mmCIF file of all heavy atoms in Angstrom:
data_model
loop_
_atom_site.group_PDB
_atom_site.id
_atom_site.type_symbol
_atom_site.label_atom_id
_atom_site.label_comp_id
_atom_site.label_asym_id
_atom_site.label_seq_id
_atom_site.Cartn_x
_atom_site.Cartn_y
_atom_site.Cartn_z
ATOM 1 N N PRO A 1502 85.410 81.623 96.886
ATOM 2 C CA PRO A 1502 85.246 81.939 98.315
ATOM 3 C C PRO A 1502 84.841 83.396 98.557
ATOM 4 O O PRO A 1502 84.216 83.692 99.583
ATOM 5 C CB PRO A 1502 86.633 81.663 98.901
ATOM 6 C CG PRO A 1502 87.307 80.785 97.921
ATOM 7 C CD PRO A 1502 86.785 81.187 96.585
ATOM 8 N N VAL A 1503 85.183 84.285 97.643
ATOM 9 C CA VAL A 1503 84.844 85.705 97.826
ATOM 10 C C VAL A 1503 83.336 85.922 97.726
ATOM 11 O O VAL A 1503 82.731 86.628 98.537
ATOM 12 C CB VAL A 1503 85.591 86.577 96.792
ATOM 13 C CG1 VAL A 1503 85.109 88.020 96.857
ATOM 14 C CG2 VAL A 1503 87.090 86.510 97.032
ATOM 15 N N VAL A 1504 82.714 85.315 96.715
ATOM 16 C CA VAL A 1504 81.270 85.512 96.502
ATOM 17 C C VAL A 1504 80.449 84.501 97.296
ATOM 18 O O VAL A 1504 79.226 84.657 97.416
ATOM 19 C CB VAL A 1504 80.923 85.397 95.003
ATOM 20 C CG1 VAL A 1504 81.657 86.448 94.212
ATOM 21 C CG2 VAL A 1504 81.252 84.002 94.460
ATOM 22 N N ASN A 1505 81.083 83.468 97.830
ATOM 23 C CA ASN A 1505 80.368 82.452 98.591
ATOM 24 C C ASN A 1505 79.924 83.012 99.942
ATOM 25 O O ASN A 1505 80.612 83.831 100.556
ATOM 26 C CB ASN A 1505 81.260 81.227 98.808
ATOM 27 C CG ASN A 1505 80.486 80.015 99.241
ATOM 28 O OD1 ASN A 1505 79.282 79.927 99.031
ATOM 29 N ND2 ASN A 1505 81.158 79.065 99.845
ATOM 30 N N ALA A 1506 78.782 82.571 100.441
ATOM 31 C CA ALA A 1506 78.284 83.021 101.732
ATOM 32 C C ALA A 1506 79.145 82.478 102.863
ATOM 33 O O ALA A 1506 79.609 81.324 102.815
ATOM 34 C CB ALA A 1506 76.836 82.569 101.909
ATOM 35 N N ASP A 1507 79.363 83.291 103.903
ATOM 36 C CA ASP A 1507 80.183 82.865 105.033
ATOM 37 C C ASP A 1507 79.618 81.629 105.718
ATOM 38 O O ASP A 1507 80.364 80.783 106.191
ATOM 39 C CB ASP A 1507 80.298 84.002 106.051
ATOM 40 C CG ASP A 1507 81.202 85.125 105.572
ATOM 41 O OD1 ASP A 1507 81.781 84.970 104.481
ATOM 42 O OD2 ASP A 1507 81.316 86.145 106.274
ATOM 43 N N VAL A 1508 78.302 81.552 105.776
ATOM 44 C CA VAL A 1508 77.682 80.416 106.457
ATOM 45 C C VAL A 1508 78.007 79.113 105.722
ATOM 46 O O VAL A 1508 78.199 78.066 106.356
ATOM 47 C CB VAL A 1508 76.156 80.630 106.575
ATOM 48 C CG1 VAL A 1508 75.502 80.692 105.201
ATOM 49 C CG2 VAL A 1508 75.521 79.538 107.418
ATOM 50 N N VAL A 1509 78.088 79.164 104.383
ATOM 51 C CA VAL A 1509 78.441 77.967 103.609
ATOM 52 C C VAL A 1509 79.898 77.595 103.856
ATOM 53 O O VAL A 1509 80.229 76.414 104.044
ATOM 54 C CB VAL A 1509 78.184 78.209 102.107
ATOM 55 C CG1 VAL A 1509 78.622 77.005 101.284
ATOM 56 C CG2 VAL A 1509 76.717 78.515 101.860
ATOM 57 N N THR A 1510 80.771 78.587 103.864
ATOM 58 C CA THR A 1510 82.191 78.338 104.130
ATOM 59 C C THR A 1510 82.383 77.748 105.520
ATOM 60 O O THR A 1510 83.119 76.764 105.705
ATOM 61 C CB THR A 1510 82.996 79.631 103.999
ATOM 62 O OG1 THR A 1510 82.833 80.179 102.685
ATOM 63 C CG2 THR A 1510 84.484 79.371 104.242
ATOM 64 N N GLY A 1511 81.736 78.345 106.511
ATOM 65 C CA GLY A 1511 81.864 77.849 107.872
ATOM 66 C C GLY A 1511 81.362 76.429 108.024
ATOM 67 O O GLY A 1511 82.013 75.589 108.670
ATOM 68 N N PHE A 1512 80.206 76.137 107.439
ATOM 69 C CA PHE A 1512 79.643 74.795 107.539
ATOM 70 C C PHE A 1512 80.525 73.784 106.802
ATOM 71 O O PHE A 1512 80.718 72.653 107.270
ATOM 72 C CB PHE A 1512 78.229 74.780 106.958
ATOM 73 C CG PHE A 1512 77.505 73.479 107.157
ATOM 74 C CD1 PHE A 1512 77.104 73.076 108.413
ATOM 75 C CD2 PHE A 1512 77.255 72.651 106.074
ATOM 76 C CE1 PHE A 1512 76.445 71.870 108.602
ATOM 77 C CE2 PHE A 1512 76.600 71.440 106.249
ATOM 78 C CZ PHE A 1512 76.191 71.051 107.511
ATOM 79 N N SER A 1513 81.091 74.185 105.654
ATOM 80 C CA SER A 1513 81.960 73.287 104.879
ATOM 81 C C SER A 1513 83.228 72.950 105.646
ATOM 82 O O SER A 1513 83.653 71.789 105.684
ATOM 83 C CB SER A 1513 82.304 73.934 103.544
ATOM 84 O OG SER A 1513 81.142 74.208 102.792
#
Side-chain angles (χ1 to χ4, degrees):
V1503 173
V1504 300
N1505 196 21
D1507 287 357
V1508 63
V1509 177
T1510 302
F1512 187 69
S1513 301

